[in-house]
Amino acid sequence: MQSFDVTIIGGGPGGSTLGALLAQQGRRVCIIERDTFPRFRIGESLLPFSIDIFAKTGVLPKIHDAGFMVKHGARFVIDESLEEECFWFKNGLDKDHPYAFQVQRAAFDELLLDHARELGVTVHQPLQADELRVSDDAAVVTTPAGEISAKIVCDVSGRWTFLSTRQRQRKIHPSHRKVTAFGHFKNVVRCEQDPGNIIIARFGDSRMGWFWLIPFTDGTTSVGVVADAGYFAESGLSAGEFFERSISASRSIAPRMRNAELCGAIRAESDFSYTSDRHAGDRWIKVGDAGAFIDPVFSSGVFLSTKAAELAAEAISRAFDANDFSAAMFADYEARIRHGTKVFWAFIDAFYNRDFLKQMVTSRRRPLLQSSITSLLAGDIYNENNNLISFLTGKGGAFADSETQALLG
Ligand SMILES: Cc1cc2nc3c(=O)[nH]c(=O)nc-3n(C[C@H](O)[C@H](O)[C@H](O)COP(=O)(O)OP(=O)(O)OC[C@H]3O[C@@H](n4cnc5c(N)ncnc54)[C@H](O)[C@@H]3O)c2cc1C
């Protein structure tokens, strides 16, 4: 049996970041990743607040050198009225996080995992984690190549939710069952204000949904549509047909796709919003999508996963110092994760269920509201000076005026 301080299941951005941070602490770390990299993965638009975390692990210069598209902002459009607004990260409440990247995940995830390897993490790849056995003094992962023992196991297995599935804890949000159809295209017309920006366009009634356009430096653009699963099922269309029909029906996206050429195939995913009751227990911890994932409209996934990795690394360090890996040591971690999910969930809920988007695209005349929204879009979710966070999560705040309340419900 192999023995480490920490075993990490999953070598996506969360797992690689956690591995790198723990290796920097001097821990003996093993990552088990079942896929051979490079491999396709969705989740291509990053947020500025993950830049600090990449700087901390030392991978940031490599991300710059790899030549990924730099993203300075996010443009939101109401498809029917063509009202729109570009949110520039430099205008957020915090002025020190002006940019992020748009990344093809095949290359990006490989770069992050290679960096963890260089810092001394042992990577078993391809290798699948099959089961976890926890005893008083160890957490043992079973794999086809034998058992791997550690003081603690981190589940960073993404939407495969290794632990939540075994604990029967994967709770799909009942009123938020979505499907997405997406692909990479050449010749897409990009954001006029800055070709590196993401475009998000909301269209149709609440069952329809929204589009994303994410530009890359190789000239291709990721384009996807997200809609209610029931609406998609009733259409009787294939993912490709649904994608085509949605694009043709859109006022804002159809002109951008007029000369678009699909590279590869249209792909589909469904039921990607879920949570779990517990994010940590005795000798185990869930990080990133393995614990919860919420709708991707604000591109929060990689940020939340790498932020969770940072918080988990701190909690694990305290557990090693105390030689105590019980659930109580991770209570603070659990609370911080719940806060992050709650903030984005409230923001997403406002986007879907209320006329918040109208507030967003007209926020230029309310500069404080606009910079507060920009901060959230950048991932600045632990900023206690952002009253929009207090407002959205039900604690009141400076935006609790009658106009905003009426619009936000
Ligand atoms: C439609 C859609 C659009 C999205 N758009 C964005 C976006 O624009 N920006 C953004 O930030 N996020 C986006 N996301 C979310 C993003 O994909 C995830 O949040 C992000 O990949 C989470 O990283 P992770 O490291 O937690 O998990 P993952 O990236 O899923 O990595 C988990 C890894 O674990 C491995 N694994 C799983 N099970 C096992 C096992 N048993 N043994 C060994 N290895 C295992 C997998 O092979 C995988 O490599 C989107 C998601 C969807 C569904």
Side-chain angles (χ1 to χ4, degrees), residues 161-206:
T161 57
F162 176 88
L163 276 176
S164 290
T165 302
R166 285 157 182 77
Q167 296 166 339
R168 294 195 161 72
Q169 278 213 2
R170 192 180 200 274
K171 308 264 162 68
I172 292 179
H173 197 291
S175 58
H176 202 82
R177 302 192 87 125
K178 302 282 177 198
V179 292
T180 177
F182 55 92
H184 285 183
F185 293 83
K186 285 188 209 158
N187 302 328
V188 176
V189 179
R190 295 177 170 184
C191 176
E192 286 73 14
Q193 290 99 326
D194 185 324
N197 287 358
I198 186 172
I199 299 178
I200 302 286
R202 178 88 169 85
F203 78 107
D205 62 25
S206 59

mmCIF file of all heavy atoms in Angstrom, residues 161-206:
data_model
loop_
_atom_site.group_PDB
_atom_site.id
_atom_site.type_symbol
_atom_site.label_atom_id
_atom_site.label_comp_id
_atom_site.label_asym_id
_atom_site.label_seq_id
_atom_site.Cartn_x
_atom_site.Cartn_y
_atom_site.Cartn_z
ATOM 1 N N THR A 161 -18.872 13.798 -8.506
ATOM 2 C CA THR A 161 -19.217 13.785 -7.079
ATOM 3 C C THR A 161 -18.954 12.419 -6.420
ATOM 4 O O THR A 161 -19.878 11.768 -5.934
ATOM 5 C CB THR A 161 -20.695 14.193 -6.867
ATOM 6 O OG1 THR A 161 -21.537 13.314 -7.608
ATOM 7 C CG2 THR A 161 -20.962 15.619 -7.307
ATOM 8 N N PHE A 162 -17.674 12.048 -6.410
ATOM 9 C CA PHE A 162 -17.264 10.740 -5.879
ATOM 10 C C PHE A 162 -17.907 10.447 -4.517
ATOM 11 O O PHE A 162 -18.563 9.430 -4.329
ATOM 12 C CB PHE A 162 -15.722 10.726 -5.771
ATOM 13 C CG PHE A 162 -15.157 9.496 -5.151
ATOM 14 C CD1 PHE A 162 -14.864 8.380 -5.925
ATOM 15 C CD2 PHE A 162 -14.901 9.437 -3.790
ATOM 16 C CE1 PHE A 162 -14.332 7.235 -5.345
ATOM 17 C CE2 PHE A 162 -14.377 8.297 -3.207
ATOM 18 C CZ PHE A 162 -14.089 7.195 -3.988
ATOM 19 N N LEU A 163 -17.737 11.370 -3.548
ATOM 20 C CA LEU A 163 -18.243 11.093 -2.194
ATOM 21 C C LEU A 163 -19.753 11.295 -2.091
ATOM 22 O O LEU A 163 -20.446 10.459 -1.508
ATOM 23 C CB LEU A 163 -17.545 11.998 -1.172
ATOM 24 C CG LEU A 163 -16.196 11.496 -0.675
ATOM 25 C CD1 LEU A 163 -15.563 12.526 0.254
ATOM 26 C CD2 LEU A 163 -16.354 10.167 0.063
ATOM 27 N N SER A 164 -20.249 12.405 -2.642
ATOM 28 C CA SER A 164 -21.690 12.685 -2.518
ATOM 29 C C SER A 164 -22.519 11.556 -3.123
ATOM 30 O O SER A 164 -23.579 11.216 -2.602
ATOM 31 C CB SER A 164 -22.055 14.001 -3.211
ATOM 32 O OG SER A 164 -21.524 15.085 -2.502
ATOM 33 N N THR A 165 -22.038 10.957 -4.210
ATOM 34 C CA THR A 165 -22.766 9.850 -4.824
ATOM 35 C C THR A 165 -22.819 8.668 -3.847
ATOM 36 O O THR A 165 -23.881 8.089 -3.608
ATOM 37 C CB THR A 165 -22.082 9.424 -6.135
ATOM 38 O OG1 THR A 165 -22.049 10.557 -6.989
ATOM 39 C CG2 THR A 165 -22.830 8.293 -6.818
ATOM 40 N N ARG A 166 -21.680 8.362 -3.234
ATOM 41 C CA ARG A 166 -21.644 7.231 -2.301
ATOM 42 C C ARG A 166 -22.407 7.540 -1.014
ATOM 43 O O ARG A 166 -22.946 6.649 -0.376
ATOM 44 C CB ARG A 166 -20.186 6.850 -1.998
ATOM 45 C CG ARG A 166 -19.576 6.103 -3.183
ATOM 46 C CD ARG A 166 -18.064 6.187 -3.216
ATOM 47 N NE ARG A 166 -17.528 5.497 -4.384
ATOM 48 C CZ ARG A 166 -17.549 6.002 -5.639
ATOM 49 N NH1 ARG A 166 -18.069 7.190 -5.885
ATOM 50 N NH2 ARG A 166 -17.045 5.303 -6.642
ATOM 51 N N GLN A 167 -22.458 8.817 -0.645
ATOM 52 C CA GLN A 167 -23.189 9.214 0.573
ATOM 53 C C GLN A 167 -24.661 9.506 0.280
ATOM 54 O O GLN A 167 -25.397 9.902 1.169
ATOM 55 C CB GLN A 167 -22.552 10.488 1.160
ATOM 56 C CG GLN A 167 -21.125 10.319 1.641
ATOM 57 C CD GLN A 167 -20.438 11.680 1.894
ATOM 58 O OE1 GLN A 167 -20.868 12.704 1.373
ATOM 59 N NE2 GLN A 167 -19.382 11.654 2.684
ATOM 60 N N ARG A 168 -25.052 9.337 -0.970
ATOM 61 C CA ARG A 168 -26.417 9.689 -1.433
ATOM 62 C C ARG A 168 -26.755 11.129 -1.051
ATOM 63 O O ARG A 168 -27.814 11.444 -0.522
ATOM 64 C CB ARG A 168 -27.455 8.732 -0.847
ATOM 65 C CG ARG A 168 -27.299 7.330 -1.359
ATOM 66 C CD ARG A 168 -28.522 6.479 -1.083
ATOM 67 N NE ARG A 168 -28.548 5.315 -1.924
ATOM 68 C CZ ARG A 168 -27.748 4.265 -1.793
ATOM 69 N NH1 ARG A 168 -26.845 4.255 -0.840
ATOM 70 N NH2 ARG A 168 -27.853 3.231 -2.607
ATOM 71 N N GLN A 169 -25.821 12.026 -1.305
ATOM 72 C CA GLN A 169 -25.985 13.423 -0.895
ATOM 73 C C GLN A 169 -26.061 14.386 -2.072
ATOM 74 O O GLN A 169 -26.102 15.589 -1.863
ATOM 75 C CB GLN A 169 -24.793 13.832 -0.041
ATOM 76 C CG GLN A 169 -24.912 13.418 1.370
ATOM 77 C CD GLN A 169 -24.257 14.425 2.289
ATOM 78 O OE1 GLN A 169 -23.747 15.435 1.856
ATOM 79 N NE2 GLN A 169 -24.274 14.126 3.551
ATOM 80 N N ARG A 170 -26.011 13.859 -3.287
ATOM 81 C CA ARG A 170 -26.033 14.768 -4.433
ATOM 82 C C ARG A 170 -27.469 15.250 -4.616
ATOM 83 O O ARG A 170 -28.340 14.503 -5.039
ATOM 84 C CB ARG A 170 -25.557 14.030 -5.688
ATOM 85 C CG ARG A 170 -25.257 14.903 -6.869
ATOM 86 C CD ARG A 170 -24.794 14.016 -8.011
ATOM 87 N NE ARG A 170 -24.049 14.732 -9.027
ATOM 88 C CZ ARG A 170 -24.604 15.375 -10.048
ATOM 89 N NH1 ARG A 170 -25.914 15.390 -10.174
ATOM 90 N NH2 ARG A 170 -23.846 15.982 -10.937
ATOM 91 N N LYS A 171 -27.716 16.511 -4.268
ATOM 92 C CA LYS A 171 -29.081 17.050 -4.294
ATOM 93 C C LYS A 171 -29.233 17.973 -5.497
ATOM 94 O O LYS A 171 -28.741 19.102 -5.477
ATOM 95 C CB LYS A 171 -29.346 17.857 -3.017
ATOM 96 C CG LYS A 171 -29.027 17.110 -1.729
ATOM 97 C CD LYS A 171 -30.277 16.468 -1.153
ATOM 98 C CE LYS A 171 -29.975 15.378 -0.139
ATOM 99 N NZ LYS A 171 -29.391 15.849 1.094
ATOM 100 N N ILE A 172 -29.923 17.488 -6.527
ATOM 101 C CA ILE A 172 -30.142 18.325 -7.707
ATOM 102 C C ILE A 172 -31.200 19.365 -7.377
ATOM 103 O O ILE A 172 -32.216 19.047 -6.759
ATOM 104 C CB ILE A 172 -30.568 17.480 -8.917
ATOM 105 C CG1 ILE A 172 -29.388 16.606 -9.344
ATOM 106 C CG2 ILE A 172 -31.026 18.365 -10.082
ATOM 107 C CD1 ILE A 172 -29.651 15.704 -10.496
ATOM 108 N N HIS A 173 -30.936 20.615 -7.735
ATOM 109 C CA HIS A 173 -31.875 21.690 -7.441
ATOM 110 C C HIS A 173 -33.171 21.420 -8.215
ATOM 111 O O HIS A 173 -33.176 21.418 -9.446
ATOM 112 C CB HIS A 173 -31.262 23.018 -7.879
ATOM 113 C CG HIS A 173 -31.940 24.190 -7.268
ATOM 114 N ND1 HIS A 173 -33.225 24.556 -7.599
ATOM 115 C CD2 HIS A 173 -31.533 25.064 -6.328
ATOM 116 C CE1 HIS A 173 -33.563 25.619 -6.900
ATOM 117 N NE2 HIS A 173 -32.556 25.948 -6.121
ATOM 118 N N PRO A 174 -34.317 21.183 -7.502
ATOM 119 C CA PRO A 174 -35.528 20.715 -8.191
ATOM 120 C C PRO A 174 -36.080 21.699 -9.215
ATOM 121 O O PRO A 174 -36.582 21.284 -10.256
ATOM 122 C CB PRO A 174 -36.532 20.489 -7.051
ATOM 123 C CG PRO A 174 -35.981 21.213 -5.881
ATOM 124 C CD PRO A 174 -34.501 21.363 -6.072
ATOM 125 N N SER A 175 -35.977 23.007 -8.923
ATOM 126 C CA SER A 175 -36.561 23.960 -9.870
ATOM 127 C C SER A 175 -35.485 24.559 -10.771
ATOM 128 O O SER A 175 -35.673 25.625 -11.351
ATOM 129 C CB SER A 175 -37.282 25.070 -9.105
ATOM 130 O OG SER A 175 -36.361 25.701 -8.252
ATOM 131 N N HIS A 176 -34.374 23.900 -10.839
ATOM 132 C CA HIS A 176 -33.298 24.463 -11.654
ATOM 133 C C HIS A 176 -32.641 23.362 -12.492
ATOM 134 O O HIS A 176 -31.431 23.201 -12.509
ATOM 135 C CB HIS A 176 -32.270 25.137 -10.737
ATOM 136 C CG HIS A 176 -31.451 26.173 -11.453
ATOM 137 N ND1 HIS A 176 -31.876 27.446 -11.671
ATOM 138 C CD2 HIS A 176 -30.228 26.106 -12.028
ATOM 139 C CE1 HIS A 176 -30.963 28.113 -12.322
ATOM 140 N NE2 HIS A 176 -29.953 27.313 -12.566
ATOM 141 N N ARG A 177 -33.489 22.583 -13.172
ATOM 142 C CA ARG A 177 -32.961 21.502 -14.017
ATOM 143 C C ARG A 177 -32.719 22.084 -15.401
ATOM 144 O O ARG A 177 -33.658 22.494 -16.078
ATOM 145 C CB ARG A 177 -33.939 20.334 -14.057
ATOM 146 C CG ARG A 177 -34.245 19.778 -12.678
ATOM 147 C CD ARG A 177 -34.962 18.463 -12.777
ATOM 148 N NE ARG A 177 -34.002 17.397 -12.876
ATOM 149 C CZ ARG A 177 -33.975 16.350 -12.044
ATOM 150 N NH1 ARG A 177 -34.852 16.221 -11.083
ATOM 151 N NH2 ARG A 177 -33.063 15.420 -12.197
ATOM 152 N N LYS A 178 -31.467 22.131 -15.788
ATOM 153 C CA LYS A 178 -31.096 22.791 -17.042
ATOM 154 C C LYS A 178 -30.405 21.815 -17.983
ATOM 155 O O LYS A 178 -29.840 20.798 -17.541
ATOM 156 C CB LYS A 178 -30.123 23.943 -16.763
ATOM 157 C CG LYS A 178 -30.653 24.996 -15.812
ATOM 158 C CD LYS A 178 -31.624 25.944 -16.492
ATOM 159 C CE LYS A 178 -32.196 26.946 -15.504
ATOM 160 N NZ LYS A 178 -33.403 27.590 -15.991
ATOM 161 N N VAL A 179 -30.420 22.149 -19.263
ATOM 162 C CA VAL A 179 -29.571 21.462 -20.241
ATOM 163 C C VAL A 179 -28.762 22.524 -20.965
ATOM 164 O O VAL A 179 -29.174 23.696 -21.033
ATOM 165 C CB VAL A 179 -30.361 20.666 -21.309
ATOM 166 C CG1 VAL A 179 -31.069 19.484 -20.734
ATOM 167 C CG2 VAL A 179 -31.323 21.556 -22.054
ATOM 168 N N THR A 180 -27.638 22.108 -21.517
ATOM 169 C CA THR A 180 -26.868 23.015 -22.338
ATOM 170 C C THR A 180 -26.426 22.289 -23.597
ATOM 171 O O THR A 180 -26.144 21.079 -23.561
ATOM 172 C CB THR A 180 -25.644 23.568 -21.586
ATOM 173 O OG1 THR A 180 -24.894 24.393 -22.467
ATOM 174 C CG2 THR A 180 -24.734 22.481 -21.064
ATOM 175 N N ALA A 181 -26.373 23.018 -24.705
ATOM 176 C CA ALA A 181 -25.800 22.508 -25.957
ATOM 177 C C ALA A 181 -24.763 23.533 -26.397
ATOM 178 O O ALA A 181 -25.030 24.739 -26.351
ATOM 179 C CB ALA A 181 -26.898 22.371 -27.009
ATOM 180 N N PHE A 182 -23.583 23.070 -26.779
ATOM 181 C CA PHE A 182 -22.500 24.028 -27.052
ATOM 182 C C PHE A 182 -21.478 23.443 -28.011
ATOM 183 O O PHE A 182 -21.416 22.227 -28.221
ATOM 184 C CB PHE A 182 -21.801 24.427 -25.738
ATOM 185 C CG PHE A 182 -21.296 23.246 -24.934
ATOM 186 C CD1 PHE A 182 -19.997 22.770 -25.097
ATOM 187 C CD2 PHE A 182 -22.126 22.601 -24.022
ATOM 188 C CE1 PHE A 182 -19.544 21.680 -24.368
ATOM 189 C CE2 PHE A 182 -21.672 21.509 -23.299
ATOM 190 C CZ PHE A 182 -20.378 21.051 -23.468
ATOM 191 N N GLY A 183 -20.674 24.337 -28.574
ATOM 192 C CA GLY A 183 -19.603 23.898 -29.475
ATOM 193 C C GLY A 183 -18.585 25.008 -29.663
ATOM 194 O O GLY A 183 -18.775 26.133 -29.177
ATOM 195 N N HIS A 184 -17.497 24.692 -30.363
ATOM 196 C CA HIS A 184 -16.480 25.699 -30.700
ATOM 197 C C HIS A 184 -16.643 26.045 -32.186
ATOM 198 O O HIS A 184 -16.797 25.142 -33.015
ATOM 199 C CB HIS A 184 -15.070 25.152 -30.441
ATOM 200 C CG HIS A 184 -14.734 25.104 -28.978
ATOM 201 N ND1 HIS A 184 -13.512 24.711 -28.499
ATOM 202 C CD2 HIS A 184 -15.460 25.414 -27.881
ATOM 203 C CE1 HIS A 184 -13.504 24.784 -27.175
ATOM 204 N NE2 HIS A 184 -14.677 25.195 -26.781
ATOM 205 N N PHE A 185 -16.585 27.331 -32.486
ATOM 206 C CA PHE A 185 -16.834 27.806 -33.852
ATOM 207 C C PHE A 185 -15.735 28.756 -34.317
ATOM 208 O O PHE A 185 -15.179 29.511 -33.512
ATOM 209 C CB PHE A 185 -18.162 28.577 -33.910
ATOM 210 C CG PHE A 185 -19.378 27.735 -33.671
ATOM 211 C CD1 PHE A 185 -19.785 27.437 -32.371
ATOM 212 C CD2 PHE A 185 -20.117 27.234 -34.731
ATOM 213 C CE1 PHE A 185 -20.910 26.655 -32.135
ATOM 214 C CE2 PHE A 185 -21.248 26.450 -34.507
ATOM 215 C CZ PHE A 185 -21.641 26.155 -33.203
ATOM 216 N N LYS A 186 -15.504 28.742 -35.635
ATOM 217 C CA LYS A 186 -14.683 29.794 -36.268
ATOM 218 C C LYS A 186 -15.621 30.894 -36.757
ATOM 219 O O LYS A 186 -16.797 30.638 -36.994
ATOM 220 C CB LYS A 186 -13.961 29.225 -37.493
ATOM 221 C CG LYS A 186 -12.793 28.348 -37.177
ATOM 222 C CD LYS A 186 -12.082 28.045 -38.500
ATOM 223 C CE LYS A 186 -11.405 26.697 -38.410
ATOM 224 N NZ LYS A 186 -11.153 26.093 -39.706
ATOM 225 N N ASN A 187 -15.073 32.056 -37.014
ATOM 226 C CA ASN A 187 -15.793 33.173 -37.657
ATOM 227 C C ASN A 187 -17.014 33.667 -36.879
ATOM 228 O O ASN A 187 -18.058 33.947 -37.475
ATOM 229 C CB ASN A 187 -16.260 32.789 -39.077
ATOM 230 C CG ASN A 187 -15.096 32.392 -39.952
ATOM 231 O OD1 ASN A 187 -13.991 32.917 -39.772
ATOM 232 N ND2 ASN A 187 -15.327 31.469 -40.863
ATOM 233 N N VAL A 188 -16.897 33.747 -35.581
ATOM 234 C CA VAL A 188 -17.976 34.336 -34.772
ATOM 235 C C VAL A 188 -17.630 35.808 -34.547
ATOM 236 O O VAL A 188 -16.477 36.139 -34.271
ATOM 237 C CB VAL A 188 -18.106 33.601 -33.417
ATOM 238 C CG1 VAL A 188 -19.157 34.271 -32.536
ATOM 239 C CG2 VAL A 188 -18.437 32.132 -33.632
ATOM 240 N N VAL A 189 -18.618 36.679 -34.673
ATOM 241 C CA VAL A 189 -18.368 38.119 -34.449
ATOM 242 C C VAL A 189 -18.282 38.353 -32.936
ATOM 243 O O VAL A 189 -19.209 38.035 -32.192
ATOM 244 C CB VAL A 189 -19.482 38.978 -35.076
ATOM 245 C CG1 VAL A 189 -19.225 40.463 -34.810
ATOM 246 C CG2 VAL A 189 -19.588 38.699 -36.568
ATOM 247 N N ARG A 190 -17.180 38.924 -32.510
ATOM 248 C CA ARG A 190 -16.908 39.058 -31.074
ATOM 249 C C ARG A 190 -17.394 40.400 -30.515
ATOM 250 O O ARG A 190 -17.829 41.270 -31.264
ATOM 251 C CB ARG A 190 -15.409 38.892 -30.846
ATOM 252 C CG ARG A 190 -14.990 37.481 -31.201
ATOM 253 C CD ARG A 190 -13.526 37.255 -31.063
ATOM 254 N NE ARG A 190 -13.265 35.817 -31.184
ATOM 255 C CZ ARG A 190 -12.085 35.271 -31.042
ATOM 256 N NH1 ARG A 190 -11.029 36.014 -30.796
ATOM 257 N NH2 ARG A 190 -11.943 33.970 -31.147
ATOM 258 N N CYS A 191 -17.215 40.541 -29.217
ATOM 259 C CA CYS A 191 -17.620 41.763 -28.517
ATOM 260 C C CYS A 191 -16.899 42.975 -29.132
ATOM 261 O O CYS A 191 -15.670 42.969 -29.248
ATOM 262 C CB CYS A 191 -17.259 41.617 -27.032
ATOM 263 S SG CYS A 191 -17.597 43.066 -26.042
ATOM 264 N N GLU A 192 -17.667 43.975 -29.538
ATOM 265 C CA GLU A 192 -17.080 45.131 -30.230
ATOM 266 C C GLU A 192 -16.211 45.961 -29.289
ATOM 267 O O GLU A 192 -15.189 46.512 -29.703
ATOM 268 C CB GLU A 192 -18.185 46.019 -30.836
ATOM 269 C CG GLU A 192 -18.855 45.436 -32.074
ATOM 270 C CD GLU A 192 -19.794 44.274 -31.776
ATOM 271 O OE1 GLU A 192 -20.137 44.080 -30.580
ATOM 272 O OE2 GLU A 192 -20.172 43.545 -32.716
ATOM 273 N N GLN A 193 -16.601 46.053 -28.010
ATOM 274 C CA GLN A 193 -15.836 46.901 -27.080
ATOM 275 C C GLN A 193 -14.460 46.315 -26.779
ATOM 276 O O GLN A 193 -13.508 47.035 -26.547
ATOM 277 C CB GLN A 193 -16.584 47.083 -25.751
ATOM 278 C CG GLN A 193 -17.833 47.939 -25.847
ATOM 279 C CD GLN A 193 -19.081 47.084 -25.944
ATOM 280 O OE1 GLN A 193 -19.056 46.009 -26.543
ATOM 281 N NE2 GLN A 193 -20.177 47.563 -25.390
ATOM 282 N N ASP A 194 -14.370 44.990 -26.728
ATOM 283 C CA ASP A 194 -13.103 44.304 -26.455
ATOM 284 C C ASP A 194 -13.288 42.853 -26.895
ATOM 285 O O ASP A 194 -14.130 42.141 -26.339
ATOM 286 C CB ASP A 194 -12.769 44.364 -24.955
ATOM 287 C CG ASP A 194 -11.390 43.777 -24.654
ATOM 288 O OD1 ASP A 194 -10.997 42.789 -25.309
ATOM 289 O OD2 ASP A 194 -10.712 44.307 -23.756
ATOM 290 N N PRO A 195 -12.513 42.390 -27.898
ATOM 291 C CA PRO A 195 -12.743 41.041 -28.436
ATOM 292 C C PRO A 195 -12.455 39.923 -27.424
ATOM 293 O O PRO A 195 -12.810 38.776 -27.664
ATOM 294 C CB PRO A 195 -11.780 40.967 -29.625
ATOM 295 C CG PRO A 195 -10.807 42.073 -29.435
ATOM 296 C CD PRO A 195 -11.472 43.128 -28.610
ATOM 297 N N GLY A 196 -11.840 40.270 -26.280
ATOM 298 C CA GLY A 196 -11.568 39.237 -25.266
ATOM 299 C C GLY A 196 -12.701 39.036 -24.283
ATOM 300 O O GLY A 196 -12.691 38.094 -23.484
ATOM 301 N N ASN A 197 -13.711 39.900 -24.325
ATOM 302 C CA ASN A 197 -14.792 39.813 -23.328
ATOM 303 C C ASN A 197 -15.727 38.639 -23.600
ATOM 304 O O ASN A 197 -15.960 38.273 -24.749
ATOM 305 C CB ASN A 197 -15.618 41.105 -23.327
ATOM 306 C CG ASN A 197 -14.875 42.264 -22.683
ATOM 307 O OD1 ASN A 197 -13.755 42.083 -22.201
ATOM 308 N ND2 ASN A 197 -15.476 43.423 -22.677
ATOM 309 N N ILE A 198 -16.299 38.124 -22.546
ATOM 310 C CA ILE A 198 -17.379 37.140 -22.684
ATOM 311 C C ILE A 198 -18.673 37.907 -22.985
ATOM 312 O O ILE A 198 -18.841 39.043 -22.535
ATOM 313 C CB ILE A 198 -17.535 36.302 -21.387
ATOM 314 C CG1 ILE A 198 -18.565 35.186 -21.572
ATOM 315 C CG2 ILE A 198 -17.911 37.174 -20.197
ATOM 316 C CD1 ILE A 198 -18.631 34.202 -20.393
ATOM 317 N N ILE A 199 -19.558 37.295 -23.779
ATOM 318 C CA ILE A 199 -20.907 37.864 -23.972
ATOM 319 C C ILE A 199 -21.914 36.866 -23.409
ATOM 320 O O ILE A 199 -21.847 35.670 -23.717
ATOM 321 C CB ILE A 199 -21.218 38.111 -25.463
ATOM 322 C CG1 ILE A 199 -20.215 39.102 -26.067
ATOM 323 C CG2 ILE A 199 -22.657 38.628 -25.632
ATOM 324 C CD1 ILE A 199 -20.431 39.370 -27.559
ATOM 325 N N ILE A 200 -22.817 37.379 -22.584
ATOM 326 C CA ILE A 200 -23.927 36.566 -22.069
ATOM 327 C C ILE A 200 -25.215 37.240 -22.520
ATOM 328 O O ILE A 200 -25.428 38.421 -22.243
ATOM 329 C CB ILE A 200 -23.914 36.504 -20.518
ATOM 330 C CG1 ILE A 200 -22.593 35.928 -19.982
ATOM 331 C CG2 ILE A 200 -25.124 35.713 -19.985
ATOM 332 C CD1 ILE A 200 -22.406 34.456 -20.148
ATOM 333 N N ALA A 201 -26.063 36.503 -23.230
ATOM 334 C CA ALA A 201 -27.326 37.080 -23.729
ATOM 335 C C ALA A 201 -28.493 36.264 -23.182
ATOM 336 O O ALA A 201 -28.578 35.054 -23.392
ATOM 337 C CB ALA A 201 -27.352 37.074 -25.252
ATOM 338 N N ARG A 202 -29.381 36.948 -22.474
ATOM 339 C CA ARG A 202 -30.584 36.315 -21.911
ATOM 340 C C ARG A 202 -31.691 36.410 -22.950
ATOM 341 O O ARG A 202 -31.908 37.484 -23.521
ATOM 342 C CB ARG A 202 -30.958 37.095 -20.641
ATOM 343 C CG ARG A 202 -32.198 36.632 -19.929
ATOM 344 C CD ARG A 202 -31.856 35.554 -18.938
ATOM 345 N NE ARG A 202 -32.992 35.278 -18.062
ATOM 346 C CZ ARG A 202 -33.983 34.433 -18.370
ATOM 347 N NH1 ARG A 202 -33.990 33.799 -19.510
ATOM 348 N NH2 ARG A 202 -34.960 34.236 -17.523
ATOM 349 N N PHE A 203 -32.405 35.309 -23.211
ATOM 350 C CA PHE A 203 -33.460 35.385 -24.233
ATOM 351 C C PHE A 203 -34.694 34.593 -23.821
ATOM 352 O O PHE A 203 -34.623 33.654 -23.027
ATOM 353 C CB PHE A 203 -32.943 34.878 -25.587
ATOM 354 C CG PHE A 203 -32.877 33.382 -25.693
ATOM 355 C CD1 PHE A 203 -33.792 32.687 -26.480
ATOM 356 C CD2 PHE A 203 -31.914 32.666 -25.015
ATOM 357 C CE1 PHE A 203 -33.740 31.303 -26.573
ATOM 358 C CE2 PHE A 203 -31.855 31.284 -25.099
ATOM 359 C CZ PHE A 203 -32.764 30.604 -25.883
ATOM 360 N N GLY A 204 -35.845 35.026 -24.343
ATOM 361 C CA GLY A 204 -37.087 34.292 -24.143
ATOM 362 C C GLY A 204 -37.609 34.366 -22.722
ATOM 363 O O GLY A 204 -37.122 35.128 -21.896
ATOM 364 N N ASP A 205 -38.639 33.526 -22.442
ATOM 365 C CA ASP A 205 -39.204 33.525 -21.095
ATOM 366 C C ASP A 205 -38.284 32.729 -20.174
ATOM 367 O O ASP A 205 -37.219 32.269 -20.584
ATOM 368 C CB ASP A 205 -40.637 32.954 -21.120
ATOM 369 C CG ASP A 205 -40.669 31.507 -21.587
ATOM 370 O OD1 ASP A 205 -39.643 30.807 -21.430
ATOM 371 O OD2 ASP A 205 -41.701 31.072 -22.125
ATOM 372 N N SER A 206 -38.740 32.523 -18.925
ATOM 373 C CA SER A 206 -37.831 31.932 -17.943
ATOM 374 C C SER A 206 -37.445 30.486 -18.303
ATOM 375 O O SER A 206 -36.447 29.971 -17.845
ATOM 376 C CB SER A 206 -38.461 31.976 -16.552
ATOM 377 O OG SER A 206 -39.669 31.270 -16.589
#
